[in-house]
Amino acid sequence: MFKQRLISGIILVVIAVITLYFGGMLTFLVTAGISLIGMYELLRVIHVEKSALSVTAYTGAILYYILLLLSLDQYILPLLLLILIVMFSVYVFTFPKYEISSVAITFFSIIYVTVTLSCIYRIRILEDGAYMVVLVFLSAWGNDTLAYCAGRLFGRHKMSPVLSPKKTIEGAVGGVIGAGLLGAFYGLIARHFITADFNLIPVFAIVCAVGGLISIVGDLGASAIKRNYEIKDYSNLIPGHGGILDRFDSIIFTAPIIYYLLVLVVGLQ
């Protein structure tokens, strides 16, 4: 299992590096594809992955990415409202085929998976985006790895005993601090490639620490959904890792938080 997980992890890293290095349409298509697969995994949990509701959700996700590609952000909210109306129409005119919870989760899947993960592409197209997008993975995956190490070494107090018994407060603190240190180290390296009017080291440290903190919510949130529906993994797409949502759970909230930190606080465009 470890060997399988390691090989899959290496392949994922290679794909991520190639995708983010070349940017542009490649990053756009890969991000959109990951979003659609993630939506499919979530909708499969509630058994509507091949329904009229899911077709509406997939279509909405594709239209969302088209608006994003064309820089037509002003039409995203109207699109979401239209999707909601169409879903409710399906719910009403096929009643009682679907539960209202299915409608809610299907709409939720667009925000939870598509909109959040699209921020990877949003960051990539920012100024120096090729360097900035690395912060997402440093904070999320870095926090995850270092939290595990800190938890094994110092863990005493359970963070969420029912949901995730192995995670500890000490591990979480170690992960956030570790993510911040990774950000600072990355800033030390990146300053040789990025010309910015701010000090990269403290800014990257803070961004990664905040991203690492938020990634804990994403990780536990995805686990909570699995516990609710009594499943181990969202799928077996990635050998040793599970599905897209199993591997990208910590990135789901980290990507938008880092995007808005860079845009609203740091001032990137």
Side-chain angles (χ1 to χ4, degrees):
M1 175 61 76
F2 175 76
K3 181 179 179 181
Q4 185 183 57
R5 185 178 177 86
L6 178 62
I7 294 173
S8 297
I10 293 172
I11 293 173
L12 280 175
V13 170
V14 170
I15 293 174
V17 170
I18 293 173
T19 300
L20 298 175
Y21 175 79
F22 287 101
M25 187 56 68
L26 179 61
T27 300
F28 174 82
L29 292 174
V30 172
T31 306
I34 288 174
S35 298
L36 288 171
I37 296 171
M39 286 179 61
Y40 176 86
E41 290 178 346
L42 181 58
L43 296 182
R44 192 174 68 165
V45 171
I46 60 172
H47 309 295
V48 298
E49 74 277 12
K50 296 180 181 179
S51 66
L53 281 178
S54 67
V55 170
T56 304
Y58 302 144
T59 303
I62 292 170
L63 291 175
Y64 167 82
Y65 268 101
I66 291 174
L67 292 179
L68 182 58
L69 181 65
L70 299 176
S71 300
L72 297 174
D73 285 25
Q74 68 271 28
Y75 295 108
I76 288 177
L77 181 56
L79 172 64
L80 293 175
L81 291 173
L82 177 61
I83 294 168
L84 182 60
I85 292 171
V86 173
M87 285 185 181
F88 250 82
S89 298
V90 172
Y91 170 62
V92 169
F93 293 114
T94 61
F95 190 85
K97 183 175 182 179
Y98 302 105
E99 299 286 340
I100 186 61
S101 59
S102 297
V103 179
I105 294 173
T106 303
F107 183 76
F108 166 75
S109 71
I110 300 173
I111 309 297
Y112 177 63
V113 183
T114 299
V115 174
T116 55
L117 290 180
S118 72
C119 288
I120 295 174
Y121 173 72
R122 287 182 179 272
I123 295 173
R124 182 60 182 83
I125 61 176
L126 290 175
E127 180 183 358
D128 293 316
Y131 299 103
M132 300 301 172
V133 75
V134 175
L135 297 172
V136 175
F137 299 92
L138 270 183
S139 57
W141 292 350
N143 174 81
D144 186 45
T145 302
L146 295 172
Y148 173 80
C149 295
R152 289 294 298 267
L153 291 172
F154 310 109
R156 296 291 183 275
H157 303 86
K158 302 298 183 183
M159 182 170 62
S160 183
V162 176
L163 179 57
S164 189
K166 293 183 179 181
K167 284 183 168 54
T168 63
I169 294 175
E170 292 83 1
V173 172
V176 171
I177 293 174
L181 291 175
L182 284 176
F185 180 69
Y186 179 60
L188 185 65
I189 297 172
R191 65 179 181 174
H192 298 294
F193 305 96
I194 301 175
T195 302
D197 56 359
F198 57 88
N199 191 327
L200 293 178
I201 297 175
V203 169
F204 280 10
I206 293 171
V207 167
C208 280
V210 173
L213 181 63
I214 298 300
S215 74
I216 298 172
V217 179
D219 184 15
L220 291 175
S223 297
I225 294 173
K226 289 191 287 186
R227 288 295 185 92
N228 280 157
Y229 289 92
E230 299 181 344
I231 60 173
K232 183 179 183 296
D233 295 316
Y234 283 99
S235 75
N236 58 0
L237 178 66
I238 309 170
H241 292 267
I244 288 295
L245 293 182
D246 295 293
R247 184 64 276 178
F248 286 81
D249 53 2
S250 58
I251 290 176
I252 279 178
F253 292 147
T254 303
I257 288 297
I258 288 183
Y259 170 71
Y260 284 109
L261 281 175
L262 292 174
V263 172
L264 299 180
V265 179
V266 179
L268 295 184
Q269 296 181 355

